[in-house]
Amino acid sequence: MCRLMAEEELVDQKKYLEDACKPKCVKPLIEYEACVKRVEGDDTGSKHCTGQYFDYFSCIDKCVAPKLFAKLK
């Protein structure tokens, strides 16, 4: 049984791990940012950067997952 003292706060490790993993995912981030610049002037709404966005966060998730699950109890 896990008990927490009133003054203890749980800290979300995922956020810290994501921040640590972002430097490892620079290439997908650059590709996403380049896409955003390309489609900024699109008035039709048909162009988007969804693929690049998911590539970037997939990279971060792949980096975070093994470290996060190792910290879970």
Side-chain angles (χ1 to χ4, degrees):
M1 182 175 208
C2 182
R3 294 182 188 183
L4 293 176
M5 299 290 225
E7 60 273 352
E8 286 185 48
E9 281 190 44
L10 293 176
V11 178
D12 185 4
Q13 294 294 314
K14 185 174 184 263
K15 181 187 179 318
Y16 296 108
L17 292 171
E18 285 176 341
D19 289 342
C21 285
K22 285 180 181 180
K24 297 177 182 178
C25 298
V26 173
K27 185 180 176 194
L29 175 61
I30 290 170
E31 290 173 1
Y32 171 68
E33 290 173 342
C35 179
V36 169
K37 285 183 181 180
R38 280 194 310 270
V39 302
E40 268 180 351
D42 177 39
D43 295 331
T44 65
S46 62
K47 296 181 182 177
H48 57 82
C49 299
T50 305
Q52 292 83 354
Y53 176 83
F54 282 118
D55 288 345
Y56 175 57
F57 279 97
S58 176
C59 176
I60 292 172
D61 287 345
K62 286 179 185 175
C63 173
V64 168
K67 297 170 189 165
L68 180 63
F69 287 112
K71 292 183 179 281
L72 295 177
K73 293 181 180 182

